[in-house]
Amino acid sequence: MPEPVDATQRIVLDAIWALLLRAGRWPTFHELDQHLYRLHDLDAARLLPEMPPGLLHGVNSGSSISIAGTTTIGLTAAGAAATGRARRELDLFLAVVRHAAAVQRDYDPPADQPDRQAVLAAADVAMLLGLSLPEDAALLRRLGAILYTERWGWTTFGGRGTEAWTAAVDREVRRFRNVRDLSTYWELRPKHWLPNAPVPPAARRQAARDDTADRPRGAMGHVDVLVVAALREEFDAALGAASAADPGGPGVSRWQQRDVDGSPYSWGEYRIDGKLRFTVAVARPTHMGGRTTGSFVARLADRLHPTAVAMCGVCAGDPARAALGDVVVGTPVFEWDEGKHSASGFEGDHRQFSLDLHWLRAAQEFDPRGLPAYGDPSDDEALLWFLEQLHRGQHPRSHPARDAYFPSGTWPRRLAQFETQGLIRRESNGEPKLTGDGSDLVQRRLYDDVEGPQRLPFRVLTAPMASGSAVITDPAEWDRLRRMGVRSITAIEMEAATIATVADDRGLPWLVAKGVMDHADAEKDDRYKRFAARASAQVMFALLERLAPATMVAGADPTVNDAATEPTVDPTRIRPTAGTGSAEQKNAVRSAKEYLKIAPFSREGLIELLSAAGYPLEVSTHAVDSLDIDYDEQAVKSAQSYLRVAAFSRKGLIEMLSSAGYSLEASTHAVDSLDIDYDEQAASSAQSHLRVSGSSRKGLIELLKYAGFTHSQAVHGADKAGL
């Protein structure tokens, strides 16, 4: 197994484990960075990519991509073992993995759901291991944390950071069914950083004994950036934008065709000045749309372990905000059709995802004028653009792209020229209207232009982007979407929210850049499609170049000035200057507010979380107490979140809330305020237990009573489970 090579790396591993002990979950990069800087004067952004491969989860060894502040940084089994402080957790981990292999072997899916996978629930694992709540809740959370960072065969993992986690299990777990020690487990474990490494002889013998055939190692490979394109044209545009135009030029000089679980992708090394900047995989699903894209991206992300996920392609743009050919970098992104239909209409309930602040600033400050797709318009191109706007019923004078086609001082002169040519006529108020000759000219030009534009004076906009499952051709949709609460919505497409969801679930930064090919109106056609796909791909890769740390571009050249190679400061990772208590206090309050937007917390839990982020205890306490927080409401929300991932008795749910730091009074009030059918909870708990192990009726009733259900509830649960 890999080991840290020096004392500094051991400090990093110990810090990650200490933060897990404190908060019951793996820290974010921001929390770890603050902790290492405050206590040890160490820079996490520099140290994490230098760690030996196989020790960390959330960042890949040698990666040059900036780590988002919200990225979860965890330890693998090897990393936990290297701390020397995780012996009990790792022993339990091996026991759970063996149990999961037995569960997967014995699981018989329902006839109407043949693809359904076996589910491993924390409550059942606790009973198996003899753990109890709330006494062993912290241990159960740490066990869940290691199960999440290790690739032992889970496909989906819910309830991270809680003692109510669940894991869906697939056939990959079979290889581990007989492992007894960590070294044997590690030999069998997939190692994405060694895509072509042969399986060790001992592991081959173990696999043969288990009747398990490993998947081809050549199909697995580490990648820094996973790029997804929904359509063939978008995929080709992405490959073209990333390919080096000249030998030794920036980009990928040679693409390798790879495959993982039947999902092909193109893999390459993106180099600048001959130095590796990042590795990239470009892939596309078989169909566009969020449903297909979601499972496709999740499968690749879980196998390739990217550091970031990005998408390029085409979208529809609001004609009041975006011109054809403009590129929209989505933030926030959301599902526009997520909500509730009722007799009074549709009520949106959007789950919005926003760009990491470092990535947002890079997009806001990006100038596309150096890209191959950008070009200043000629007089003829300005004429065609002007006539096309009139043909579409739009107003070129107030159009957002007017300044690009009509630089300062050219508007009056060109309008007079168009009028003299007989292409437009002017109303008494000065409004231009197409003449018959003008209408004929623009329609002929549009009909003849089958290739579409090659270069345009396009803009890069950072704006809200809505995803939906249907193509829209109704211009009234823009007003309806604005009335649903996102007034500055600029783009509509089909996959951005899915990309953000998959990335967010895995703690990864994401980037979606899409070119405007139409305005979602009756006049839409595909004339701008190729350009929009090409421009979006060029913008996306140009941003990815900038988002890699500047020090990686400079390399080890000693002649480069240190100040010039300082990475761009991430506003989310600014450390308050020592002695500036008021500034630190304001930052702590701001952090507390951000945490409360993400999840509910008790007073104790929120103080612990701020302390784990590096704030002194007194600062954390003052910040939390300065906020007007309704902890009764927070307890209700926490109870609802627990019930979404597992079944509980009244007693068990009260104990769970108490272990999260809520008072007994608040916990009891929260549970009793909810309309919970404990008979159904008992039935669900019984069924969950039977999915992972057998039991007699009497034994199942006793287990349910042990979990806090009354005798009548336990009997009902056993009867409902068919025993």
Side-chain angles (χ1 to χ4, degrees):
M1 291 192 299
E3 289 277 350
V5 298
D6 56 36
T8 300
Q9 292 184 349
R10 291 190 181 279
I11 290 174
V12 173
L13 298 180
D14 287 343
I16 296 172
W17 186 257
L19 292 173
L20 172 67
L21 291 175
R22 180 186 297 178
R25 57 167 179 77
W26 295 122
T28 65
F29 173 80
H30 170 65
E31 293 166 346
L32 177 62
D33 188 43
Q34 287 281 86
H35 181 88
L36 289 173
Y37 186 34
R38 180 169 59 88
L39 297 182
H40 305 286
D41 197 26
L42 296 176
D43 180 8
R46 179 183 64 82
L47 289 173
L48 295 185
E50 296 176 354
M51 296 289 286
L55 292 175
L56 299 182
H57 166 87
V59 60
N60 290 302
S61 179
S63 172
S64 58
I65 297 294
S66 296
I67 308 170
T70 56
T71 299
T72 297
I73 306 296
L75 300 180
T76 64
T83 67
R85 304 165 61 187
R87 179 169 299 178
R88 186 181 182 195
E89 287 83 356
L90 291 172
D91 286 343
L92 295 177
F93 165 76
L94 293 175
V96 171
V97 170
R98 290 193 297 269
H99 177 63
V103 169
Q104 198 276 335
R105 178 195 62 204
D106 298 334
Y107 181 66
D108 186 16
D112 60 340
Q113 295 177 289
D115 296 328
R116 184 172 174 177
Q117 294 177 320
V119 174
L120 198 66
D124 300 310
V125 168
M127 286 190 285
L128 172 75
L129 300 176
L131 305 178
S132 61
L133 294 173
E135 291 84 359
D136 294 316
L139 177 60
L140 201 58
R141 285 196 292 268
R142 295 197 297 274
L143 175 58
I146 297 176
L147 287 166
Y148 172 71
T149 57
E150 273 300 317
R151 295 300 175 185
W152 47 268
W154 65 264
T155 57
T156 58
F157 204 100
R160 282 184 290 160
T162 74
E163 55 269 45
W165 44 263
T166 58
V169 185
D170 76 355
R171 69 186 307 275
E172 289 294 319
V173 74
R174 298 177 190 176
R175 70 177 74 182
F176 303 114
R177 69 182 187 184
N178 291 325
V179 294
R180 298 298 170 188
D181 56 64
L182 197 58
S183 60
T184 304
Y185 166 82
W186 195 260
E187 283 189 330
L188 293 166
R189 178 196 192 275
K191 301 171 182 62
H192 65 271
W193 60 90
L194 296 174
N196 298 311
V199 180
R204 286 201 301 269
R205 290 193 295 271
Q206 180 69 57
R209 286 195 297 269
D210 291 350
D211 297 321
T212 300
D214 287 340
R215 299 177 190 267
R217 293 296 176 128
M220 303 288 286
H222 154 63
V223 69
D224 285 318
V225 182
L226 171 60
V227 171
V228 182
L231 301 172
R232 181 74 206 193
E233 298 97 318
E234 298 167 343
F235 176 81
D236 292 341
L239 288 181
S243 297
D246 303 301
V252 178
S253 60
R254 184 172 65 89
W255 292 99
Q256 298 178 22
Q257 300 308 308
R258 297 185 176 185
D259 184 282
V260 56
D261 294 342
S263 301
Y265 61 94
S266 298
W267 185 94
E269 295 181 341
Y270 199 102
R271 294 180 175 272
I272 298 177
D273 296 330
K275 297 182 176 65
L276 176 63
R277 193 59 171 270
F278 56 85
T279 56
V280 58
V282 183
R284 67 179 181 90
T286 54
H287 296 84
M288 65 180 184
R291 183 177 301 175
T292 302
T293 301
S295 59
F296 177 78
V297 176
R299 183 165 58 250
L300 282 176
D302 289 340
R303 297 297 187 268
L304 300 181
H305 305 272
T307 310
V309 180
M311 187 178 203
C312 58
V314 299
C315 66
D318 182 352
R321 299 178 182 275
L324 296 176
D326 283 349
V327 174
V328 181
V329 175
T331 183
V333 299
F334 59 94
E335 293 277 358
W336 68 265
D337 51 359
E338 191 172 54
K340 179 177 72 175
H341 284 282
S342 65
S344 59
F346 180 77
E347 180 182 350
D349 186 16
H350 308 133
R351 182 187 179 196
Q352 298 186 1
F353 299 90
S354 297
L355 277 179
D356 177 85
L357 291 178
H358 182 48
W359 293 51
L360 173 60
R361 183 172 294 278
Q364 288 174 334
E365 296 177 351
F366 181 73
D367 186 347
R369 282 179 290 186
L371 298 179
Y374 188 93
D376 293 323
S378 64
D379 287 349
D380 185 64
E381 288 169 333
L383 168 64
L384 178 60
W385 177 85
F386 181 86
L387 298 180
E388 184 176 357
Q389 305 318 304
L390 296 179
H391 176 68
R392 291 177 176 272
Q394 297 176 2
H395 302 283
R397 188 177 187 275
S398 59
H399 197 281
R402 187 202 67 192
D403 290 343
Y405 287 91
F406 288 79
S408 178
T410 63
W411 177 260
R413 175 177 57 81
R414 285 180 173 175
L415 258 65
Q417 180 183 351
F418 300 159
E419 189 175 11
T420 300
Q421 293 172 337
L423 301 176
I424 62 171
R425 58 181 174 82
R426 306 290 290 273
E427 299 289 321
S428 59
N429 63 357
E431 189 79 16
K433 300 291 183 181
L434 280 177
T435 64
D437 287 346
S439 179
D440 289 344
L441 174 62
V442 69
Q443 290 188 72
R444 286 198 305 270
R445 294 285 293 273
L446 294 179
Y447 182 83
D448 293 343
D449 186 18
V450 294
E451 298 295 330
Q454 299 302 306
R455 303 179 73 196
L456 288 175
F458 70 92
R459 301 170 302 158
V460 175
L461 311 173
T462 54
M465 180 179 289
S467 301
S469 56
V471 176
I472 296 175
T473 59
D474 180 6
E477 192 67 31
W478 296 107
D479 287 334
R480 190 172 79 86
L481 290 173
R482 280 190 285 269
R483 289 195 300 271
M484 288 164 56
V486 185
R487 292 178 297 171
S488 57
I489 182 172
T490 301
I492 302 174
E493 49 76 79
M494 302 178 75
E495 301 90 10
T498 296
I499 293 294
T501 300
V502 172
D504 184 75
D505 285 347
R506 289 153 179 78
L508 301 175
W510 55 270
L511 175 71
V512 175
K514 296 220 170 182
V516 177
M517 66 167 283
D518 61 59
H519 291 308
D521 55 22
E523 299 292 330
K524 65 179 294 173
D525 59 37
D526 286 350
R527 194 164 59 90
Y528 279 81
K529 188 174 185 179
R530 292 181 183 175
F531 176 86
R534 189 168 68 253
S536 71
Q538 291 176 9
V539 168
M540 180 191 67
F541 277 107
L543 285 172
L544 290 173
E545 284 186 18
R546 287 158 173 75
L547 291 167
T551 48
M552 298 304 296
V553 180
D557 187 349
T559 65
V560 178
N561 183 277
D562 289 341
T565 62
E566 183 68 18
T568 303
V569 176
D570 184 343
T572 66
R573 302 206 299 267
I574 296 176
R575 179 181 184 269
T577 303
T580 57
S582 60
E584 187 173 43
Q585 191 66 63
K586 290 178 181 178
N587 285 336
V589 170
R590 189 180 301 112
S591 296
K593 290 179 179 179
E594 291 299 318
Y595 292 144
L596 287 169
K597 291 179 183 178
I598 300 171
F601 288 95
S602 65
R603 177 179 180 274
E604 177 185 327
L606 191 54
I607 291 173
E608 287 183 356
L609 187 57
L610 289 171
S611 299
Y615 296 106
L617 179 60
E618 62 274 14
V619 173
S620 302
T621 303
H622 185 272
V624 172
D625 290 343
S626 70
L627 299 175
D628 183 18
I629 303 173
D630 185 339
Y631 290 110
D632 286 340
E633 180 184 358
Q634 294 292 303
V636 170
K637 291 180 179 179
S638 290
Q640 291 170 331
S641 68
Y642 291 145
L643 288 169
R644 282 194 290 268
V645 297
F648 289 91
S649 65
R650 179 179 180 275
K651 177 184 177 183
L653 190 54
I654 291 172
E655 289 179 347
M656 180 72 82
L657 291 170
S658 298
S659 70
Y662 295 104
S663 68
L664 179 60
E665 181 182 2
S667 301
T668 303
H669 178 269
V671 172
D672 290 344
S673 69
L674 298 174
D675 184 18
I676 304 173
D677 186 335
Y678 290 109
D679 284 342
E680 289 304 310
Q681 292 292 305
S684 178
S685 183
Q687 291 165 354
S688 176
H689 175 76
L690 290 177
R691 280 198 296 268
V692 297
S693 63
S695 180
S696 65
R697 184 175 186 276
K698 180 180 178 181
L700 183 57
I701 291 173
E702 290 302 314
L703 283 171
L704 292 172
K705 289 168 65 176
Y706 177 78
F709 292 103
T710 65
H711 180 76
S712 62
Q713 291 166 354
V715 170
H716 174 83
D719 291 343
K720 199 71 179 289
L723 292 182

